[in-house]
Amino acid sequence: AHGLAEIAIVDAVQVLKVSATGLTPHASHRLVVDGVDGVALGSSELIANEFGGLEVTLMNVPGSANQLPDLLEPVTKIRHVELRDKDGRVLLQNDFRPVENLAPEDEFLLKQARLASPNASTRAIGVGKAEADPTVLRLRVEIERLPVDGPYDIIADGITLTTAIARSGFIRADFTTDGSSGQPLPPSLLPAINIKRLNVRDSTGQIILNGSFRLEGGGIGRLR
């Protein structure tokens, strides 16, 4: 059997999603998260389908089929996930572990910063994404609707990453630790998954866009 545990925060919604394959078809299972068993999770019995697969999604949304308990918020603090059979035997388990440089084996992490203008009359928007997996750290910045083509500074936590040239109001800039694409990430910003804030300045020094990172999603690649 194999499984995947994922956590995500999208605006005010917090999500824990667990899926598994290779289980006994139609068998009963119980999810245990950081010692909290299925009864408290609102999913006391999970039934594998005819192909031996199952999936459960817990959310902190009132009225959702499987409510995320308050004691598991924020989901970024979740560490240990288990899937047990009806007799309590652990079939699959693994841990979310902190990303100190590259992501731990079998784990990935994604953070996203939505970029908005401090000036209500500016239509420019953008997004920054920081990703970590076991082999590389990546940062991507995409901007559109810039009012004027030309040079713009992309700044992360006060450090200028690059001066990018907007064309047709659009900029896309990539940065990696291994040089696989785009430009290298400055050592002072490593690990990139810890970057907190992005700013975009025009040639006059005016801030056109800014935004703060929050955890968008993370996953354990395998529950073993």
Side-chain angles (χ1 to χ4, degrees):
H2 299 280
L4 175 68
E6 302 171 87
I7 56 175
I9 298 175
V10 182
D11 296 325
V13 179
Q14 303 199 33
V15 180
L16 169 65
K17 179 180 177 181
V18 177
S19 56
T21 58
L23 304 170
T24 301
H26 308 296
S28 298
H29 302 83
R30 175 170 288 185
L31 181 65
V32 179
V33 180
D34 285 347
V36 181
D37 68 14
V39 174
L41 293 174
S43 55
S44 56
E45 188 177 54
L46 302 173
I47 308 297
N49 61 28
E50 61 186 306
F51 304 107
L54 64 78
E55 181 178 293
V56 60
T57 300
L58 307 175
M59 296 188 295
N60 65 338
V61 176
S64 61
N66 295 295
Q67 185 73 29
L68 183 74
D70 292 343
L71 72 168
L72 291 181
E73 293 186 43
V75 291
T76 51
K77 292 185 177 180
I78 291 174
R79 287 294 175 261
H80 189 70
V81 180
E82 295 179 352
L83 188 66
R84 301 181 181 181
D85 66 13
K86 63 182 179 62
D87 297 318
R89 290 187 292 264
V90 176
L91 302 178
L92 297 169
Q93 64 176 328
N94 211 332
D95 295 292
F96 286 102
R97 290 158 288 175
V99 175
E100 297 177 353
N101 189 7
L102 299 176
E105 183 183 1
D106 299 331
E107 191 168 331
F108 66 91
L109 191 66
L110 166 66
K111 293 200 325 183
Q112 181 166 292
R114 300 181 188 277
L115 305 179
S117 174
N119 185 343
S121 64
T122 300
R123 297 176 58 249
I125 57 173
V127 63
K129 293 183 179 180
E131 302 177 39
D133 65 31
T135 61
V136 65
L137 299 171
R138 304 179 186 87
L139 175 66
R140 170 173 290 178
V141 180
E142 294 183 339
I143 305 163
E144 57 183 279
R145 302 181 190 171
L146 287 165
V148 178
D149 284 351
Y152 290 84
D153 292 334
I154 299 175
I155 304 162
D157 290 346
I159 297 173
T160 300
L161 291 170
T162 190
T163 299
I165 305 300
R167 291 183 172 82
S168 300
F170 180 80
I171 286 174
R172 172 173 161 175
D174 289 298
F175 309 89
T176 59
T177 52
D178 65 354
S180 57
S181 64
Q183 303 177 53
L185 276 163
S188 56
L189 286 176
L190 300 180
I193 207 68
N194 291 337
I195 293 173
K196 295 181 174 61
R197 190 163 182 81
L198 287 175
N199 293 307
V200 180
R201 286 192 313 220
D202 65 13
S203 58
T204 69
Q206 180 181 359
I207 293 178
I208 300 298
L209 293 168
N210 55 32
S212 298
F213 278 102
R214 64 185 303 165
L215 181 71
E216 184 77 3
I220 303 171
R222 287 198 300 271
L223 298 178
R224 296 174 289 191

